[in-house]
Amino acid sequence: MHQRYDQYTASDQAVWRLLFERQMAQLPGKASQAYLDGIRKTGFVADHIPDFDREINPRLLALTGWQVVAVPGLIDNRTFFELMASRRFPATTWLRRADQLDYLQEPDMFHDTFGHVPLLSNQAFCNFLASLSQLALDHIQSEEAIEMISRLYWYTVEFGLIQEPEGLRIYGGGILSSPGETTYSLYDPAPCRSSYAVSTLLTTPYIIDRYQERYFVVESYGQLYHSVPEIARNLELLLANTEHI
């Protein structure tokens, strides 16, 4: 499908501006520097909803070879991983209403684009996404394998933290698009913040209806990419153990 840009209303544009300005007011000093650089590189601004074909994709293609493709909403696992393995990031095109600013049951365009697209300007992170997605396709017939990969995806791409020279920062799109969890993930004493450990991520269930109880911290985006062979080995071991139970 295509992003029908002409169908966005003045109300949609106003919601985008409000969401964008609210998050950008607090993300400096909290978001990963690669993400903040990506906001500039991809051309995200407050005054209009990003146009995938005219603005975002030409920049991304030049930077990392990726592009954003429009999808109607949540898509099946095979389609999702096929798109990502071919370096196409699926993003929905509908935007939340003004009375839905703080909570949605299903991710909207603000989450998909503002939360995730800026980091698609980082090559190491992109390589991780493509490689992890290919690994998922290799195991697409196994519900257990996809569940384990989904856990790792959740705790990295959606809710990951990264240790940078200036301090602990956010790179997970689910946090970056949430004003409440942005502060909670870094400063609240309640959640556990653990070092990135593949075997633990693959076996740790995640939370979808409230803030996370646990976050995992990577040292670099290169660490994510170079961990894919370890993910594959651990996945095979866990699947083998499951078969023997």
Side-chain angles (χ1 to χ4, degrees):
M1 61 178 294
H2 296 283
Q3 181 189 33
R4 298 294 300 274
Y5 198 89
D6 59 337
Q7 293 187 2
Y8 290 123
T9 66
S11 177
D12 292 329
Q13 298 287 356
V15 167
W16 172 269
R17 173 186 289 274
L18 178 59
L19 292 168
F20 184 95
E21 291 180 340
R22 184 173 68 171
Q23 279 303 91
M24 289 306 298
Q26 66 165 330
L27 286 180
K30 297 176 183 175
S32 166
Q33 189 59 51
Y35 173 85
L36 295 173
D37 291 344
I39 288 282
R40 173 182 54 81
K41 291 176 181 179
T42 52
F44 275 40
V45 291
D47 64 10
H48 65 273
I49 291 169
D51 188 316
F52 297 173
D53 291 336
R54 296 180 180 179
E55 295 178 315
I56 305 302
N57 286 341
R59 291 182 172 95
L60 283 181
L61 283 167
L63 288 165
T64 59
W66 276 66
Q67 56 185 316
V68 180
V69 294
V71 295
L74 295 176
I75 55 178
D76 64 88
N77 288 328
R78 180 182 291 275
T79 302
F80 177 80
F81 289 120
E82 283 178 345
L83 287 171
M84 297 272 279
S86 62
R87 299 182 181 269
R88 293 179 290 169
F89 190 86
T92 190
T93 61
W94 66 275
L95 190 65
R96 70 192 75 181
R97 302 187 309 267
D99 62 347
Q100 299 174 311
L101 294 182
D102 294 318
Y103 178 74
L104 290 172
Q105 288 186 325
E106 181 180 341
D108 72 336
M109 187 198 62
F110 184 76
H111 167 269
D112 287 348
T113 59
F114 183 89
H116 290 295
V117 170
L119 264 184
L120 297 180
S121 64
N122 181 278
Q123 192 66 66
F125 184 74
C126 286
N127 292 344
F128 167 69
L129 285 180
S131 299
L132 183 68
S133 298
Q134 185 57 57
L135 179 62
L137 288 176
D138 293 341
H139 294 275
I140 200 66
Q141 301 299 331
S142 169
E143 292 184 9
E144 293 84 0
I146 296 303
E147 177 61 26
M148 285 188 275
I149 290 172
S150 296
R151 291 170 186 160
L152 190 136
Y153 184 95
W154 183 270
Y155 283 117
T156 56
V157 180
E158 292 291 351
F159 291 93
L161 301 179
I162 184 169
Q163 187 66 50
E164 296 189 338
E166 298 77 12
L168 191 62
R169 298 292 186 263
I170 302 161
Y171 73 92
I175 310 176
L176 291 165
S177 58
S178 167
E181 197 153 3
T182 293
T183 300
Y184 171 86
S185 66
L186 292 177
Y187 306 126
D188 197 288
C192 174
R193 300 171 183 88
S194 306
S195 297
Y196 179 70
V198 166
S199 60
T200 304
L201 270 75
L202 290 172
T203 56
T204 302
Y206 53 81
I207 297 168
I208 63 172
D209 58 353
R210 63 186 187 277
Y211 293 162
Q212 302 301 301
E213 296 174 353
R214 189 169 187 179
Y215 298 95
F216 292 89
V217 183
V218 299
E219 297 175 0
S220 68
Y221 298 114
Q223 181 187 17
L224 281 176
Y225 173 52
H226 293 300
S227 74
V228 174
E230 182 184 359
I231 296 169
R233 290 193 300 271
N234 276 267
L235 192 63
E236 294 293 349
L237 287 172
L238 289 166
L239 289 172
N241 289 337
T242 300
E243 291 173 359
H244 290 133
I245 295 175

